[in-house]
Amino acid sequence: MSKIYVNVIGAGLAGCEAAYQIASRGISVKLYEMKPYKKSPAHHTDKFAELVCSNSLKARRTSSAAGLLKEEMRMLNSLLIKCAYKCEVPAGGALAVDRDLFSDAVTDEIKNNPLIEVISEEIKVIPEDSVTVIATGPLTSDALCSDIVAKFGGSLSFFDAAAPIITAESIDPETSFAQSRYDKGDGDDYINCPMNKEEYELFYSELIKAERAPLHDFDVADPKVYEGCMPIEVMAQRGEDTIRFGPMKPVGLRDPRTGHRPWAVLQLRKENAEGSMYNLVGFQTNLKFPEQKRVFGLIPALKNAEFVRYGVMHRNTFIDSPRLLNADYSLKTNEDLFFAGQLTGVEGYMESASSGLLAGINAAKRVMGLETVVLPTKTMIGALANYITDETVTKFQPMGASFGLLPELENRPRDKKLRGEAYASRSLMFFLISKQKGYE
């Protein structure tokens, strides 16, 4: 009798979560990962579950959409959530991690699992020898992407960007101050880089005319840019106050030097547990490296900034999931084949992992001959799966966790916080009631 196993292609966030969920159900996994022999343009290490854009996993409170998603994952025994809390760094109301420690923790869990065989190999053609989960991410290799398009069609692309990282010691202490917005967190989770009106106007004028890096392998005449990772220079072109009411908003902050709210603020978030590196929050960019140093150096606190990593822009590919996938993440034309992660059009670290979690559960159920799980739309995981597989969606674009995806509440509170708590209570009650009904 041949051994029962599941193929998982890709050891990113979704792939690792899928492999873990399958192995947790006693099923062997062949996990294929092309690193270290081949890396995508956005990856820098040989580790699994590498965080490319930011080290923030968004809000932690369950009354927020992002926090509810993480709590649902925790209740479903998520590997990524467990590792994230082991590696967290202060970030006010957000859950942020030391990205190296996080990747180390996930890699160790996967490589030390006796039911998971890691195979360092680039998969160029979809395997047909077993139930398979494809979780190759937004930078799926050209060869596999071509095979997916040839077999199923519907491959789409947009641009994604990452923010720069600088050293802590290079931040000017005389023109910066530590404070979390609205004093959430421990008070020093963020370093704030304030600007007055004149400083901001100079920065803005240089930002919108700064030289950008060339974009490769795209139709640069009409690039698609995802709103959630909009480069700061692209956002700025929408108007002088756009970024001042966006990533550089000063609300909830007070400059101790003046006693007043600044005109604009760049926030820096800890990148690692030691606090030796900081991420420029909301400053995803495609400026040329010298331009990043020059323009961002116009922010007084960054006049001597030392860049550990410059911001970059890269391709982000996803399939036409509303036409191709079922709500259990299986392919409509071949239910032994599952897709997971950003390749499906879910957008965000934990959103990607949540799709891997559900795809992994269902891949295990498939090989065991059990009915797969489709979570109700009143849960955030189920609502995301429903959105990306909704055939009525005509102009499909990536989607992150949002209360707008959930069915309306029967008695909708007018207060936003109470409304979030009501959404969360309804969702989490489902998981409590259904704990023994096969969703584990």
Side-chain angles (χ1 to χ4, degrees):
M1 182 177 178
S2 60
K3 181 180 179 181
I4 297 175
Y5 65 90
V6 174
N7 296 311
V8 176
I9 317 300
L13 297 170
C16 286
E17 188 69 70
Y20 179 81
Q21 295 299 327
I22 296 163
S24 296
R25 288 157 177 78
I27 306 296
S28 296
V29 178
K30 290 185 177 181
L31 176 60
Y32 293 87
E33 169 55 50
M34 67 182 187
K35 294 192 295 186
Y37 301 112
K38 182 177 181 180
K39 292 189 180 75
S40 76
H43 290 94
H44 303 281
T45 77
D46 295 338
K47 301 171 185 175
F48 299 165
E50 184 177 349
L51 303 182
V52 173
C53 294
S54 167
N55 69 328
S56 174
L57 308 182
K58 301 180 184 177
R60 66 168 70 228
R61 68 187 189 281
T62 55
S63 59
S64 69
L68 175 58
L69 178 70
K70 288 191 283 291
E71 180 60 17
E72 291 179 2
M73 292 172 64
R74 186 195 67 78
M75 295 181 76
L76 290 174
N77 189 34
S78 164
L79 169 66
L80 275 295
I81 294 296
K82 179 172 67 173
C83 291
Y85 278 104
K86 285 182 180 179
C87 308
E88 65 179 305
V89 297
L95 174 60
V97 299
D98 181 314
R99 70 176 76 208
D100 289 329
L101 294 180
F102 175 76
S103 292
D104 284 339
V106 177
T107 303
D108 288 345
E109 287 275 359
I110 294 297
K111 288 189 172 181
N112 291 322
N113 190 309
L115 288 177
I116 301 176
E117 177 187 1
V118 177
I119 303 169
S120 298
E121 178 184 335
E122 179 188 359
I123 297 298
K124 298 180 180 181
V125 177
I126 297 170
E128 297 181 355
D129 59 341
S130 181
V131 172
T132 296
V133 178
I134 298 179
T136 45
L139 292 171
T140 296
S141 68
D142 291 341
L144 183 57
C145 194
S146 296
D147 190 52
I148 292 171
V149 172
K151 289 176 177 174
F152 315 119
S155 178
L156 308 171
S157 294
F158 67 97
F159 291 120
D160 205 353
I165 299 170
I166 62 175
T167 64
E169 62 183 7
S170 69
I171 304 165
D172 181 23
E174 299 299 320
T175 53
S176 62
F177 62 94
Q179 183 190 359
S180 292
R181 203 180 300 277
Y182 300 110
D183 293 319
K184 291 182 179 180
D186 294 329
D188 61 350
D189 293 352
Y190 291 85
I191 293 178
N192 300 283
C193 307
M195 284 183 279
N196 59 32
K197 188 173 186 291
E198 293 72 25
E199 291 165 342
Y200 174 79
E201 288 176 346
L202 173 62
F203 165 76
Y204 174 81
S205 66
E206 293 301 312
L207 176 63
I208 59 174
K209 64 185 180 184
E211 191 174 2
R212 304 179 190 181
L215 299 173
H216 301 288
D217 302 324
F218 284 101
D219 176 10
V220 296
D222 183 28
K224 301 183 183 74
V225 182
Y226 174 57
E227 291 285 335
C229 281
M230 179 72 64
I232 190 72
E233 63 273 11
V234 174
M235 189 184 302
Q237 288 187 317
R238 296 178 171 180
E240 185 172 340
D241 287 328
T242 302
I243 58 176
R244 202 169 67 83
F245 286 89
M248 301 191 75
K249 62 181 180 290
V251 295
L253 299 169
R254 181 175 56 84
D255 188 341
R257 298 175 303 168
T258 65
H260 301 292
R261 187 173 74 182
W263 185 255
V265 171
L266 163 64
Q267 286 201 305
L268 308 176
R269 181 181 56 238
K270 286 182 180 178
E271 175 65 25
N272 59 354
E274 294 81 6
S276 61
M277 297 184 293
Y278 276 79
N279 187 289
L280 279 63
V281 178
F283 264 47
Q284 297 88 354
T285 182
N286 188 46
L287 296 182
K288 287 188 172 181
F289 292 174
E291 290 287 77
Q292 292 183 41
K293 186 172 183 64
R294 180 183 71 83
V295 176
F296 298 158
L298 294 173
I299 301 171
L302 301 190
K303 60 186 178 183
N304 298 314
E306 296 177 0
F307 287 77
V308 176
R309 186 193 75 185
Y310 286 100
V312 294
M313 182 176 275
H314 53 81
R315 185 190 76 197
N316 202 335
T317 301
F318 57 100
I319 61 174
D320 192 4
S321 292
R323 256 54 66 187
L324 296 176
L325 299 185
N326 298 308
D328 63 359
Y329 288 99
S330 67
L331 190 69
K332 290 180 179 180
T333 57
N334 179 3
E335 294 186 339
D336 284 346
L337 180 59
F338 295 81
F339 284 82
Q342 287 185 233
L343 187 59
T344 67
V346 295
E347 177 56 36
Y349 289 146
M350 291 298 97
E351 288 86 343
S352 179
S354 76
S355 70
L357 186 154
L358 191 54
I361 291 174
N362 284 327
K365 286 182 175 292
R366 182 77 70 205
V367 299
M368 291 187 287
L370 302 175
E371 184 177 353
T372 59
V373 173
V374 174
L375 292 178
T377 56
K378 63 186 176 184
T379 69
M380 192 59 69
I381 297 175
L384 275 169
N386 176 71
Y387 174 80
I388 68 160
T389 57
D390 182 355
E391 291 183 346
T392 66
V393 176
T394 55
K395 295 183 179 180
F396 183 53
Q397 285 293 305
M399 177 62 68
S402 168
F403 285 137
L405 298 175
L406 303 181
E408 190 54 85
L409 295 161
E410 291 185 10
N411 298 303
R412 186 175 185 268
R414 297 183 65 180
D415 181 81
K416 185 177 180 181
K417 181 180 178 182
L418 293 177
R419 192 159 61 244
E421 291 173 351
Y423 278 125
S425 177
R426 183 180 67 177
S427 168
L428 298 180
M429 184 60 67
F430 164 78
F431 285 102
L432 289 173
I433 294 174
S434 306
K435 196 170 181 61
Q436 303 302 321
K437 292 187 177 181
Y439 296 138
E440 293 189 311

